[in-house]
């Protein structure tokens, strides 16, 4: 089955700087890659996703890039703000109603 | 529109006790999922359902049972709780006709402790 590895497990960034979280996946058939943000005491919330026919997607300060050849995808957050502090999870699936396989999470801390 | 709700929010059980976690969604979603979240292990799929009356096993189904008698509800049961089932449990749902089949919406979670 699919295996998703996520790095780093913790990341501290000065407010205003950029943060990058990377994930690799094992199943070359995977074609849907969402990113979730989980704030303390809450459930994960989808922040951005990308499909395999697209190399990059951007939504304001967040962007995701996908390299299908290397089987890795990354989350980029620019101009970080204190409210970006949270745990971020990447995931991969075959799309449709197929199951999501999650990475182990990255705890991002924004230092004021 | 409340989205995905879970009850209870917290629960403490003794080893061997049973309980049922309730998940409800008001988005008319076809698919529903139960995950557990443990430190350093991300979210792991326990069971899922692709429609009313259907259920299927996920990655870590042992010790759990589920039922989907109504489209809007997905129940997770622990027949004989064990300390290894101490975790935070999340329900998610996805897919309404005409919408994305991929995007999963999560509930706020249930923190379960088994002593």
């Amino acid at each position: 089955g699919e295996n998703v590895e996520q790095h780093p497990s913790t990341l501290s960034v000065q407010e205003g700087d950029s943060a990058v979280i990377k994930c690799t996946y094992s199943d070359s058939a995977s074609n849907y890659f969402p990113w979730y943000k989980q704030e303390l005491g809450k459930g994960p919330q989808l922040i951005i996703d990308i499909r395999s026919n697209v190399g990059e997607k951007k939504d304001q300060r967040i962007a995701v890039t996908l390299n299908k050849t290397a089987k890795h995808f990354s989350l980029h957050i620019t101009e970080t703000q204190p409210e970006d502090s949270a745990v971020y999870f990447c995931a991969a699936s075959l799309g449709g109603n197929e199951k999501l396989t999650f990475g182990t999470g990255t705890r991002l801390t924004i230092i004021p | 529109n409340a989205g995905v709700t879970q009850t209870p929010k917290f629960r403490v059980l003794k080893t061997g006790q049973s309980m049922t976690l309730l998940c409800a969604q008001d988005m008319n979603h076809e698919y529903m999922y139960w995950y557990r979240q443990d430190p350093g292990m991300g979210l792991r799929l326990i069971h899922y359902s692709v429609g009313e009356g259907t259920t299927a096993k996920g990655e870590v189904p042992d010790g759990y049972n589920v039922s989907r008698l109504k489209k809007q509800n997905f129940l997770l049961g622990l027949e004989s709780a064990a300390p290894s089932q101490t975790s935070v449990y999340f329900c998610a749902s996805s897919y309404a006709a005409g919408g994305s089949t991929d995007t999963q919406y999560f509930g706020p979670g249930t923190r379960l402790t088994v002593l």
Side-chain angles (χ1 to χ4, degrees):
Chain A
E2 176 66 277
N3 182 48
V4 177
E5 294 190 356
Q6 183 172 348
H7 300 282
S9 57
T10 60
L11 179 61
S12 294
V13 173
Q14 206 72 34
E15 182 178 352
D17 289 349
S18 296
V20 181
I21 303 170
K22 299 181 180 181
C23 289
T24 60
Y25 60 98
S26 61
D27 190 342
S28 57
S30 290
N31 62 12
Y32 175 64
F33 308 93
W35 284 89
Y36 284 83
K37 176 183 180 181
Q38 185 177 23
E39 297 177 338
L40 192 63
K42 297 184 179 181
Q45 181 177 16
L46 179 72
I47 56 172
I48 195 167
D49 56 14
I50 192 167
R51 301 177 195 279
S52 59
N53 58 345
V54 176
E56 183 175 1
K57 184 176 178 180
K58 191 174 181 179
D59 183 3
Q60 299 183 343
R61 295 186 299 107
I62 61 174
V64 57
T65 59
L66 172 64
N67 183 326
K68 284 219 75 179
T69 303
K71 289 190 286 186
H72 68 70
F73 56 110
S74 300
L75 177 71
H76 304 254
I77 306 174
T78 59
E79 300 174 10
T80 53
Q81 300 170 5
E83 53 264 37
D84 294 328
S85 293
V87 178
Y88 292 81
F89 291 95
C90 64
S93 85
L94 298 176
N97 66 333
E98 292 297 325
K99 302 177 288 291
L100 284 173
T101 300
F102 284 84
T104 51
T106 297
R107 182 174 299 278
L108 175 63
T109 302
I110 307 302
I111 304 167
Chain B
N1 189 333
V4 180
T5 58
Q6 294 181 231
T7 52
K9 289 184 169 51
F10 303 93
R11 186 73 186 267
V12 178
L13 290 178
K14 293 182 179 178
T15 297
Q17 288 185 320
S18 63
M19 77 162 294
T20 300
L21 281 67
L22 171 64
C23 175
Q25 52 93 6
D26 62 2
M27 296 175 282
N28 201 35
H29 282 167
E30 295 294 332
Y31 309 147
M32 297 187 74
Y33 312 82
W34 275 108
Y35 294 90
R36 60 177 289 172
Q37 184 176 39
D38 302 292
M41 300 188 74
L43 292 106
R44 293 182 293 169
L45 184 65
I46 305 171
H47 285 282
Y48 65 102
S49 168
V50 298
E52 182 178 319
T54 76
T55 62
K57 294 181 180 180
E59 181 185 354
V60 289
D62 293 343
Y64 306 95
N65 57 76
V66 288
S67 64
R68 182 101 181 268
L69 299 179
K70 295 182 178 181
K71 185 177 182 178
Q72 64 268 33
N73 295 337
F74 195 27
L75 279 64
L76 177 71
L78 286 73
E79 291 185 346
S80 180
S84 61
Q85 294 178 304
T86 293
S87 188
V88 182
Y89 292 86
F90 288 100
C91 176
S93 70
S94 67
Y95 183 52
S100 167
T101 57
D102 304 300
T103 304
Q104 293 189 20
Y105 298 85
F106 283 79
T110 295
R111 183 173 294 275
L112 175 66
T113 301
V114 182
L115 303 176

